[in-house]
Amino acid sequence: QQPVQSPQAVILREGEDAVINCSSSKALYSVHWYRQKHGEAPVFLMILLKGGEQKGHDKISASFNEKKQQSSLYLTASQLSYSGTYFCGTEFYNQGGKLIFGQGTELSVKP
Amino acid sequence: DAGITQSPRHKVTETGTPVTLRCHQTENHRYMYWYRQDPGHGLRLIHYSYGVKDTDKGEVSDGYSVSRSKTEDFLLTLESATSSQTSVYFCAISGASGETTQETQYFGPGTRLLVL
């Protein structure tokens, strides 16, 4: 039931764009995105609810494709501060709000 | 910050000894969670609580027990620690006071546990 994130790792230059995908084999109620810097706690970015809505947070946005049971995180014009590991947490129907997290995508932004 | 502290922040213990980790919140959130994080596995839910004295198992609950006697405290106990329980443990909270939905989870700073 663990969602699959891709890619596992990505290296960018400042200003480049990236997309991180989170796919589930089970019907999703919502997808939560977090970023974690080395040695720190995960920090909440945004929630996507079923319905395919797209949300944004500064130059980071995300979408939720209910048909494909997939969410994508878009990082536009990346900054050095975007470096870290990105996790998606998936919530299924009737699971009482419990999240199942993907294995993470490590993003490195170089000058 | 969501007002979450974890103690201790680091602990080294020996196989077979009991260990208790504490999560304390000042936000009056209803839901509390314990996760472990290991390389290549992401965050895995151990136990969670949906109210005082109300707890349930997560995906990796074997070898762990929890208790919640007050809204603000959620304890995780390793009854007899094993080397496979060496990990980073995170507490999280959700469900702000007055809200009926759980939604956003806020994480504590983590506890690094080494079992020798």
Side-chain angles (χ1 to χ4, degrees):
Chain A
Q1 291 186 357
Q2 183 180 34
V4 177
Q5 289 186 230
S6 62
Q8 288 190 332
V10 59
I11 300 174
L12 299 174
R13 291 286 179 191
E14 251 185 311
E16 291 182 338
D17 301 339
V19 180
I20 299 171
N21 296 308
C22 175
S23 297
S24 173
S25 58
K26 199 174 166 181
L28 294 172
Y29 174 72
S30 69
V31 179
H32 304 221
W33 285 98
Y34 289 81
R35 177 171 62 209
Q36 184 180 29
K37 294 189 180 286
H38 184 69
E40 298 181 6
V43 174
F44 171 75
L45 292 176
M46 64 190 77
I47 292 178
L48 283 299
L49 300 176
K50 67 182 180 75
E53 63 178 297
Q54 186 154 343
K55 285 198 171 183
H57 176 77
D58 194 11
K59 290 183 181 176
I60 300 174
S61 62
S63 63
F64 182 9
N65 187 321
E66 199 176 342
K67 262 189 176 179
K68 291 185 178 181
Q69 300 305 325
Q70 177 178 294
S71 178
S72 297
L73 187 71
Y74 306 95
L75 298 102
T76 306
S78 58
Q79 306 166 17
L80 295 176
S81 62
Y82 287 3
S83 293
T85 301
Y86 290 78
F87 292 97
C88 65
T90 51
E91 181 183 1
F92 305 116
Y93 290 91
N94 302 317
Q95 290 295 303
K98 289 186 291 186
L99 298 180
I100 307 294
F101 284 89
Q103 79 279 20
T105 295
E106 189 170 352
L107 180 79
S108 297
V109 181
K110 308 287 187 187
Chain B
D1 290 345
I4 313 169
T5 56
Q6 292 184 230
S7 58
R9 294 292 313 279
H10 299 87
K11 186 166 183 67
V12 179
T13 191
E14 293 188 348
T15 298
T17 58
V19 176
T20 295
L21 308 183
R22 181 186 184 227
C23 177
H24 178 77
Q25 60 144 329
T26 59
E27 304 294 320
N28 201 32
H29 280 55
R30 179 181 174 187
Y31 302 93
M32 299 184 76
Y33 312 81
W34 276 109
Y35 292 92
R36 61 176 291 173
Q37 185 173 38
D38 306 289
H41 289 279
L43 292 149
R44 292 182 291 175
L45 182 65
I46 305 172
H47 282 281
Y48 70 104
S49 168
Y50 44 96
V52 173
K53 296 193 190 317
D54 291 325
T55 65
D56 205 350
K57 295 179 180 180
E59 48 184 322
V60 290
S61 59
D62 287 349
Y64 302 94
S65 62
V66 289
S67 66
R68 192 171 178 198
S69 58
K70 298 184 288 185
T71 299
E72 56 266 34
D73 288 325
F74 193 31
L75 304 180
L76 177 71
T77 298
L78 291 66
E79 302 291 345
S80 178
T82 67
S83 58
S84 64
Q85 293 176 311
T86 291
S87 187
V88 180
Y89 291 86
F90 285 102
C91 171
I93 65 174
S94 70
S97 179
E99 293 183 6
T100 57
T101 58
Q102 295 170 245
E103 295 208 346
T104 306
Q105 292 188 21
Y106 299 97
F107 284 81
T111 294
R112 291 186 175 273
L113 177 67
L114 174 61
V115 183
L116 300 174

Coordinates of all heavy atoms in Angstrom, one line a residue, chain A residues 7 9-20 59-61 73-79 82 86 107-110:
Chain A
P7 N 11.1 10.7 -9.3 CA 12.3 9.8 -9.2 C 12.7 9.7 -7.8 O 12.2 10.3 -6.9 CB 13.4 10.6 -10.0 CG 13.0 12.0 -9.8 CD 11.5 12.1 -9.8
A9 N 15.8 10.3 -6.8 CA 16.7 11.4 -6.5 C 16.8 12.3 -7.7 O 16.6 11.8 -8.9 CB 18.1 10.9 -6.1
V10 N 17.0 13.6 -7.5 CA 17.2 14.5 -8.7 C 18.1 15.6 -8.3 O 18.1 16.1 -7.1 CB 15.8 15.0 -9.1 CG1 15.1 15.8 -8.0 CG2 15.9 15.9 -10.3
I11 N 19.0 16.0 -9.2 CA 19.9 17.1 -9.0 C 19.6 18.2 -10.0 O 19.4 17.9 -11.2 CB 21.4 16.6 -9.2 CG1 21.7 15.5 -8.2 CG2 22.3 17.8 -9.0 CD1 23.1 14.9 -8.4
L12 N 19.4 19.4 -9.5 CA 19.1 20.5 -10.3 C 20.1 21.7 -10.2 O 20.8 21.8 -9.1 CB 17.7 21.1 -9.9 CG 16.5 20.2 -10.0 CD1 15.3 21.0 -9.4 CD2 16.2 19.9 -11.4
R13 N 20.1 22.5 -11.2 CA 20.8 23.8 -11.0 C 19.8 24.8 -10.6 O 18.6 24.7 -10.9 CB 21.4 24.2 -12.4 CG 22.6 23.4 -12.8 CD 23.8 23.6 -12.0 NE 24.9 22.8 -12.4 CZ 26.1 22.7 -11.8 NH1 26.2 23.4 -10.6 NH2 27.0 21.9 -12.2
E14 N 20.2 25.8 -9.9 CA 19.3 26.9 -9.5 C 18.5 27.4 -10.7 O 19.1 27.7 -11.8 CB 20.1 28.1 -8.9 CG 20.0 28.3 -7.4 CD 20.7 29.5 -6.9 OE1 21.9 29.7 -7.2 OE2 20.0 30.3 -6.2
G15 N 17.2 27.6 -10.5 CA 16.4 28.1 -11.6 C 15.8 27.1 -12.5 O 14.9 27.4 -13.3
E16 N 16.2 25.8 -12.4 CA 15.6 24.8 -13.1 C 14.3 24.3 -12.5 O 14.1 24.5 -11.3 CB 16.6 23.6 -13.3 CG 17.8 24.0 -14.2 CD 18.7 22.8 -14.4 OE1 18.7 21.9 -13.6 OE2 19.5 22.8 -15.4
D17 N 13.5 23.6 -13.3 CA 12.2 23.0 -12.8 C 12.4 21.5 -12.5 O 13.2 20.9 -13.1 CB 11.1 23.3 -13.8 CG 10.9 24.7 -14.1 OD1 11.3 25.6 -13.3 OD2 10.4 25.0 -15.2
A18 N 11.5 21.0 -11.6 CA 11.4 19.6 -11.4 C 10.0 19.2 -11.1 O 9.2 20.0 -10.6 CB 12.3 19.3 -10.2
V19 N 9.8 17.9 -11.3 CA 8.5 17.3 -11.0 C 8.7 16.0 -10.2 O 9.6 15.2 -10.6 CB 7.7 16.9 -12.3 CG1 6.3 16.3 -11.9 CG2 7.5 18.2 -13.2
I20 N 8.0 15.9 -9.2 CA 8.1 14.6 -8.3 C 6.7 14.0 -8.4 O 5.7 14.7 -8.1 CB 8.5 15.0 -6.9 CG1 9.9 15.6 -6.9 CG2 8.5 13.7 -6.0 CD1 10.3 16.2 -5.5
K59 N 6.5 29.0 -5.2 CA 6.7 28.5 -6.5 C 6.7 27.0 -6.6 O 7.2 26.3 -7.5 CB 8.1 29.0 -7.1 CG 8.1 30.5 -7.4 CD 9.5 30.9 -8.0 CE 9.4 32.4 -8.3 NZ 10.7 32.9 -8.7
I60 N 6.0 26.4 -5.6 CA 5.8 25.0 -5.5 C 4.3 24.8 -5.6 O 3.5 25.3 -4.8 CB 6.4 24.4 -4.2 CG1 7.9 24.7 -4.1 CG2 6.1 22.9 -4.1 CD1 8.5 24.3 -2.7
S61 N 3.9 23.9 -6.5 CA 2.5 23.6 -6.7 C 2.3 22.1 -6.8 O 3.3 21.4 -7.0 CB 1.9 24.3 -7.9 OG 2.6 23.9 -9.1
L73 N 4.2 16.9 -7.7 CA 4.6 18.1 -7.1 C 5.5 18.8 -8.1 O 6.5 18.2 -8.6 CB 5.4 17.8 -5.8 CG 5.8 18.9 -4.9 CD1 4.6 19.6 -4.2 CD2 6.9 18.5 -3.9
Y74 N 5.2 20.1 -8.3 CA 6.0 20.9 -9.3 C 6.8 22.0 -8.6 O 6.3 22.8 -7.9 CB 5.0 21.6 -10.3 CG 4.0 20.6 -11.0 CD1 2.8 20.4 -10.4 CD2 4.4 19.9 -12.1 CE1 1.9 19.6 -11.0 CE2 3.5 19.1 -12.7 CZ 2.2 18.9 -12.2 OH 1.3 18.0 -12.8
L75 N 8.1 21.9 -8.9 CA 9.0 22.9 -8.3 C 9.5 23.8 -9.4 O 10.2 23.3 -10.3 CB 10.1 22.3 -7.5 CG 9.7 21.5 -6.3 CD1 9.7 20.0 -6.7 CD2 10.6 21.8 -5.1
T76 N 9.1 25.1 -9.4 CA 9.4 26.0 -10.5 C 10.5 26.9 -10.1 O 10.5 27.4 -9.0 CB 8.2 26.8 -10.9 OG1 7.1 25.9 -11.1 CG2 8.4 27.7 -12.1
A77 N 11.5 27.1 -11.1 CA 12.6 28.1 -10.8 C 13.2 27.8 -9.5 O 13.2 28.6 -8.6 CB 12.1 29.5 -10.9
S78 N 13.8 26.6 -9.3 CA 14.2 26.1 -8.0 C 15.3 27.0 -7.4 O 16.1 27.6 -8.1 CB 14.8 24.7 -8.2 OG 15.8 24.6 -9.1
Q79 N 15.2 27.0 -6.1 CA 16.1 27.8 -5.2 C 16.9 26.9 -4.4 O 16.5 25.7 -4.2 CB 15.4 28.8 -4.3 CG 14.4 29.7 -5.1 CD 13.4 30.4 -4.1 OE1 13.6 30.4 -2.9 NE2 12.3 30.9 -4.7
Y82 N 15.3 24.9 -1.7 CA 14.4 23.8 -2.0 C 15.0 22.4 -1.8 O 14.3 21.4 -1.8 CB 13.9 23.8 -3.5 CG 12.9 24.9 -3.8 CD1 12.5 25.8 -2.8 CD2 12.4 25.0 -5.1 CE1 11.6 26.8 -3.1 CE2 11.5 26.0 -5.4 CZ 11.1 26.9 -4.4 OH 10.2 27.9 -4.7
Y86 N 11.6 15.1 -0.3 CA 10.2 15.3 -0.4 C 9.5 14.0 -0.2 O 9.8 13.0 -0.8 CB 9.9 16.0 -1.7 CG 10.4 17.4 -1.8 CD1 11.7 17.6 -2.1 CD2 9.5 18.4 -1.6 CE1 12.2 19.0 -2.1 CE2 10.0 19.8 -1.7 CZ 11.3 20.0 -1.9 OH 11.7 21.3 -2.0
L107 N 16.0 15.8 -3.3 CA 16.3 16.9 -4.3 C 17.5 17.7 -3.9 O 17.5 18.2 -2.7 CB 15.0 17.8 -4.4 CG 15.1 18.9 -5.3 CD1 14.8 18.5 -6.8 CD2 14.1 20.0 -5.0
S108 N 18.4 17.9 -4.8 CA 19.6 18.7 -4.5 C 19.6 19.8 -5.5 O 19.6 19.6 -6.7 CB 20.9 17.9 -4.6 OG 20.9 16.9 -3.7
V109 N 19.7 21.0 -5.1 CA 19.8 22.2 -5.9 C 21.1 22.8 -5.8 O 21.6 23.1 -4.7 CB 18.7 23.3 -5.6 CG1 18.8 24.4 -6.6 CG2 17.3 22.7 -5.7
K110 N 21.9 22.8 -6.9 CA 23.2 23.4 -6.9 C 23.3 24.8 -7.5 O 22.4 25.1 -8.3 CB 24.1 22.5 -7.8 CG 24.0 21.0 -7.5 CD 24.7 20.7 -6.2 CE 24.8 19.1 -5.9 NZ 25.3 18.8 -4.6

